[in-house]
Amino acid sequence: MRVISPETQVILTEEFRRQIHRRSWQILTALVPFALLVALVAVPAVRGAFDDDEPVNRLNRIGYVDNAGVITNFGLQGGPREYLNRPGGVQGLVSGEVDALFIIPDDYLQTGSVQWLRGETGVFSDDSLGSQFIGFLTRELIAGQVEPQLLERVISPAAFTVFEVGDDGIVVEEPPDAQQAGEFFVPFIFAILLMVAIFSGSGSLLQSVADEKENRMIEMIITSATPLSIMAGKVFALGAAGLIQVTVWIGSAALLGPLIIDQVPNAGELSVELDLLATVLLLFIAGYFLFAVIMAGMGAATTSVREASQISAIITVPAVIPVWLSSLLVSQPDGTVARVLSFVPFTAPTTILIRLSAGNVSPGEVAASLAVVVVSGFALLWVSARVFRAGLLLYGQRMSLKNVWTALRQAD
Amino acid sequence: MTSSSHVLEIDGLTKTFGERIVVNDVSFEVRRGEIFGFLGPNGSGKTTTIRMALGIIKPDSGSVRVLGEQPDRKLLNRVGYLPEDRGLLRKVRVMDIIRYLGRLKGLSSSEAEERGTELLHRVGLYQHRTKKVEGLSRGMTQLIQFISSIIHEPELIILDEPFSGLDPLNVQLMKQMLFEQRERGATIMFSTHIMSDVEELCERVALIADSRMLLYGSIDEIKRDRGASAVRVRASDIPASLLNGRAKPADGVMEFEINEQRSSESILREFLDAGIAVEQFELLLPTMNDVFIEEVTRARYLS
């Protein structure tokens, strides 16, 4: 038994060929790998410019004048440079030997006052040298007076492990920040990508259907294929193009992501759970399918490309609503608004994606929402085919509800 | 292939759009191997009848049989169709669109490309095969669509106003190709309101106006049924009573209209009564243009 008819296969392959030859599809597909490549190059450069997590390396850019005599271990390799007096330190600062000069006055132990001299900083001042000097000074003040272990605790007093207590009293350890970041960004980024893909891909499908109708080529095609075959071929072709797009995005992320993460300190454990990734993918594909069907139906109902383009702008609004409400959805992922939008077919995919980024959504709820989207998609595909059939009778007429209804009744 | 002598049978087709009757009880048959003319003025219901014949729209009543069977998609793959409102996707290359339409009619990709190449050579557009449709003239686009409609070597070819918009050279080319298709064994039906094309191509015709059938049959029969509309006489002189102020022709040949006041017999009698020897006396049948104008005018007057 054939899953799809031969004419659907022909339409699918032709439409797929046209989709992947579209400049906008190619640009959008290449966008993620390109952005990742840019990140791969940019992260080390940015890190070199702004990183404040390597005090040893920056300490040698610090100079000081110790009038209070509190620093004894100044011979530290790669540590701050001592100047004997203020003019000497200023000279070192001006000549570029150091980036910051700290003057510790005679009464430091009584007042805690320290002067910080630095060059012109412009808008973005680098305050990291101050905190590094404090770390250095702390160590100098108590070194030799306490146990080394205690010294380390004074320098770094607490490394938190955070637990979340649910309404039911169950205590769960929160995942590391890096994993949380992954769990937030992956669904959220896919929600945004879904929107962009909907605007780009399904918009072109609407254009394609309206174009074939407007130039009446459809009259030749309709003698070879049923409206349902035509609609299904076009929608599945767009789906296949979308699937390739997502595969390229995920493939490039899997390939380049670890290389980028290696460049980020403390990001070694950045990870995304596989079931989350699978859920996100399913939602993306289901949402893409639903909007492709809607766009195809609108293209079928309109009588010109211009009219179709105007209507497409209205149709994509539901996909954007959850993004507009994203702050509400993130702060109240289990709120009434979030739950309602999760079961409205047009808003469900984006809403669930955003809710997933904010926290856990029960598997049952995700499955029910997916079912709503997929069933609505197939139902709308059938309706689109009928509208498409009826639309053939509306050639040259204005698309009013009355006209569409009359044509729908006349279509078999 | 069906053994029926009729490849298209239209029986009592009726269609209304809202309150307006666009096709009213239209019936005719197209015989295997003929070139059939479907005639009618603009807005008479030709295109709607063709769309119903191809299953594009559903009739309110009546039936259609194509190649001896109820038409379905599989059967319609043996039919070629050139619609009246023509156009192709503008951003697609010529060979891509030919291959696409050929594959939709059941050809493999290579078959469609091979036949598309042959046909592009035949219409002199092979050098444009890699161009996008938007780079072609309207006439060229029409030829591309025409060859797309015959690429699968259909048994029945239905063409809706095929010659409109073409220059005389391309009209001649398309007519030659239609004769070639008939030689191949195809049956052709085309709609038109240009009667010279009908006289040149068709054996039989159906004429509709204001949604109703007016005439149906062979062109010769239709003309004969109407009788002669004029006589052509070659004689050494012309009776003064027949001249009506006209100058005598140098070659002695003159045509006289037959009407209620003057029959062919009375014209001959006037020559004989004047003692003029008649070398040739020929009854002239009406042209299809005459028939078309007379029938459509009478139908509109009666309605």
Side-chain angles (χ1 to χ4, degrees):
Chain A
M1 194 184 96
R2 276 202 179 94
V3 177
I4 53 174
S5 63
E7 59 270 16
T8 303
Q9 281 178 35
V10 173
I11 292 165
L12 195 158
T13 50
E14 175 64 18
E15 200 67 38
F16 178 74
R17 193 187 61 77
R18 281 187 219 153
Q19 279 289 339
I20 61 172
H21 278 91
R22 277 174 41 238
R23 189 67 51 85
S24 60
W25 184 89
Q26 292 167 347
I27 290 171
L28 194 59
T29 307
L31 195 64
V32 171
F34 179 74
L36 289 169
L37 278 173
V38 168
L40 189 63
V41 175
V43 164
V46 171
R47 189 180 143 219
F50 296 104
D51 198 355
D52 58 355
D53 288 337
E54 295 174 82
V56 175
N57 288 343
R58 303 297 312 274
L59 276 175
N60 61 5
R61 303 298 303 161
I62 292 172
Y64 66 89
V65 177
D66 180 17
N67 293 326
V70 293
I71 297 175
T72 56
N73 192 23
F74 55 84
L76 179 73
Q77 192 70 29
R81 179 189 294 264
E82 183 186 27
Y83 293 96
L84 295 177
N85 51 41
R86 184 185 183 102
V90 169
Q91 182 64 38
L93 190 65
V94 172
S95 67
E97 279 181 346
V98 292
D99 296 330
L101 177 69
F102 295 92
I103 311 287
I104 305 171
D106 299 341
D107 57 353
Y108 164 71
L109 286 175
Q110 290 80 39
T111 64
S113 172
V114 173
Q115 291 178 357
W116 179 355
L117 284 73
R118 62 186 180 188
E120 291 178 13
T121 59
V123 178
F124 302 104
S125 60
D126 182 5
D127 293 339
S128 66
L129 291 175
S131 58
Q132 286 182 46
F133 183 71
I134 287 172
F136 165 73
L137 191 56
T138 308
R139 190 181 289 274
E140 289 295 318
L141 286 170
I142 58 174
Q145 299 180 38
V146 297
E147 291 294 316
Q149 206 172 20
L150 179 59
L151 173 63
E152 288 309 314
R153 290 291 67 77
V154 171
I155 302 295
S156 176
F160 292 115
T161 305
V162 184
F163 293 84
E164 191 175 288
V165 183
D167 294 339
D168 48 6
I170 295 174
V171 180
V172 181
E173 184 181 338
E174 280 189 2
D177 287 349
Q179 189 177 332
Q180 284 193 49
E183 286 174 358
F184 175 81
F185 283 114
V186 168
F188 201 85
I189 287 170
F190 266 82
I192 302 293
L193 286 176
L194 174 61
M195 258 180 38
V196 175
I198 285 168
F199 285 132
S200 164
S202 55
S204 78
L205 180 62
L206 178 140
Q207 177 99 9
S208 159
V209 175
D211 207 16
E212 280 182 4
K213 274 187 64 197
E214 187 175 6
N215 65 37
R216 308 307 285 168
M217 184 173 151
I218 201 65
E219 279 204 33
M220 293 181 82
I221 297 172
I222 200 75
T223 60
S224 305
T226 62
L228 189 60
S229 299
I230 295 169
M231 287 287 116
K234 285 177 179 292
V235 168
F236 292 148
L238 186 73
L243 205 58
I244 287 182
Q245 211 162 43
V246 179
T247 307
V248 170
W249 292 343
I250 291 176
S252 58
L255 200 70
L256 299 174
L259 299 176
I260 295 168
I261 289 165
D262 282 348
Q263 307 287 333
V264 182
N266 303 323
E269 64 234 80
L270 183 68
S271 63
V272 180
E273 288 176 12
L274 272 180
D275 55 350
L276 174 68
L277 196 61
T279 307
V280 165
L281 264 179
L282 280 173
L283 282 163
F284 183 91
I285 292 165
Y288 202 75
F289 167 67
L290 178 74
F291 275 91
V293 170
I294 294 167
M295 288 294 182
M298 292 316 297
T302 51
T303 51
S304 71
V305 173
R306 193 176 166 186
E307 192 179 8
S309 303
Q310 289 166 349
I311 288 173
S312 72
I314 302 167
I315 295 300
T316 45
V317 168
V320 185
I321 288 173
V323 179
W324 285 340
L325 299 173
S326 57
S327 58
L328 175 69
L329 298 178
V330 167
S331 61
Q332 297 173 36
D334 294 323
T336 309
V337 173
R339 283 176 188 274
V340 169
L341 290 180
S342 300
F343 292 99
V344 176
F346 309 118
T347 54
T350 334
T351 303
I352 294 276
L353 283 169
I354 292 173
R355 285 180 65 195
L356 279 172
S357 70
N360 283 327
V361 183
S362 74
E365 205 174 338
V366 173
S369 180
L370 260 174
V372 166
V373 175
V374 173
V375 170
S376 309
F378 278 105
L380 281 171
L381 184 62
W382 182 82
V383 173
S384 293
R386 280 192 72 82
V387 171
F388 183 76
R389 182 86 164 135
L392 287 172
L393 302 172
L394 285 176
Y395 177 51
Q397 297 178 51
R398 276 190 62 78
M399 192 192 78
S400 64
L401 277 178
K402 187 184 168 192
N403 278 345
V404 171
W405 177 245
T406 306
L408 266 174
R409 286 189 299 136
Q410 286 169 351
D412 57 16
Chain B
M1 186 179 282
T2 176
S3 59
S4 166
S5 61
H6 295 129
V7 291
L8 179 64
E9 296 159 72
I10 303 283
D11 185 14
L13 281 188
T14 298
K15 182 73 189 176
T16 55
F17 289 138
E19 301 293 311
R20 194 164 60 94
I21 302 173
V22 286
V23 175
N24 191 356
D25 194 24
V26 168
S27 302
F28 61 87
E29 289 157 347
V30 179
R31 294 174 186 163
R32 179 171 297 284
E34 73 175 342
I35 299 182
F36 185 87
F38 188 36
L39 324 178
N42 295 329
S44 57
K46 301 189 296 293
T47 297
T48 305
T49 304
I50 289 174
R51 285 179 179 167
M52 286 191 284
L54 291 165
I56 296 171
I57 54 177
K58 192 173 66 170
D60 296 339
S61 61
S63 66
V64 175
R65 289 179 78 79
V66 176
L67 302 168
E69 295 173 39
Q70 298 282 343
D72 58 20
R73 304 288 157 197
K74 199 174 169 189
L75 189 72
L76 288 174
N77 275 354
R78 290 156 59 191
V79 177
Y81 171 45
L82 180 69
E84 180 190 19
D85 301 306
R86 282 178 276 274
L88 295 169
L89 293 175
R90 295 174 55 76
K91 301 283 180 190
V92 182
R93 294 179 199 285
V94 167
M95 186 53 94
D96 290 339
I97 214 147
I98 292 172
R99 193 190 304 113
Y100 174 47
L101 293 171
R103 288 183 65 207
L104 272 176
K105 287 293 184 187
L107 299 182
S108 69
S109 192
S110 57
E111 279 174 333
E113 184 145 358
E114 192 180 325
R115 289 190 196 169
T117 302
E118 280 173 28
L119 287 165
L120 280 172
H121 276 300
R122 179 69 184 86
V123 297
L125 294 177
Y126 179 72
Q127 69 274 24
H128 298 291
R129 69 194 179 284
T130 55
K131 280 188 185 167
K132 288 185 176 173
V133 170
E134 63 189 354
L136 303 181
S137 70
R138 190 179 160 201
M140 288 172 174
T141 307
Q142 195 165 328
L143 285 176
I144 300 296
Q145 201 162 5
F146 170 61
I147 65 176
S148 299
S149 70
I150 59 170
I151 189 170
H152 56 300
E153 298 183 346
E155 291 171 51
L156 170 63
I157 301 169
I158 296 177
L159 312 163
D160 198 354
E161 304 280 1
F163 309 118
S164 67
L166 287 180
D167 64 43
L169 283 175
N170 280 330
V171 168
Q172 200 54 37
L173 173 65
M174 196 185 275
K175 285 176 181 173
Q176 283 169 8
M177 290 181 73
L178 288 179
F179 282 125
E180 287 164 12
Q181 290 296 311
R182 190 178 62 171
E183 288 294 306
R184 178 180 64 74
T187 304
I188 296 155
M189 170 184 151
F190 71 97
S191 72
T192 187
H193 52 258
I194 301 167
M195 293 304 112
S196 57
D197 294 336
V198 175
E199 301 247 24
E200 189 180 346
L201 294 170
C202 303
E203 293 98 28
R204 297 191 320 123
V205 295
L207 169 64
I208 67 168
D210 298 332
S211 77
R212 289 174 180 279
M213 282 279 290
L214 301 181
L215 280 176
Y216 169 51
S218 79
I219 290 178
D220 286 346
E221 281 172 6
I222 288 169
K223 287 180 175 179
R224 269 201 303 274
D225 287 350
R226 260 152 191 75
S229 60
V231 293
R232 182 183 291 138
V233 181
R234 180 191 292 274
S236 56
D237 200 0
I238 305 288
S241 59
L242 290 175
L243 271 175
N244 280 340
R246 289 189 291 179
K248 287 182 182 175
D251 59 358
V253 177
M254 208 161 183
E255 290 180 5
F256 302 96
E257 189 185 343
I258 295 172
N259 51 39
E260 288 176 359
Q261 285 79 40
R262 182 188 285 161
S263 66
S264 57
E265 290 82 3
S266 68
I267 293 169
L268 181 60
R269 197 176 307 115
E270 287 198 47
F271 273 91
L272 298 176
D273 289 349
I276 299 170
V278 175
E279 297 167 30
Q280 183 189 351
F281 190 87
E282 183 185 359
L283 291 172
L284 296 179
L285 293 174
T287 63
M288 280 308 292
N289 205 50
D290 298 332
V291 174
F292 183 94
I293 291 170
E294 184 188 328
E295 288 293 332
V296 173
T297 306
R298 183 163 58 196
R300 286 185 176 164
Y301 175 76
L302 289 175
S303 67

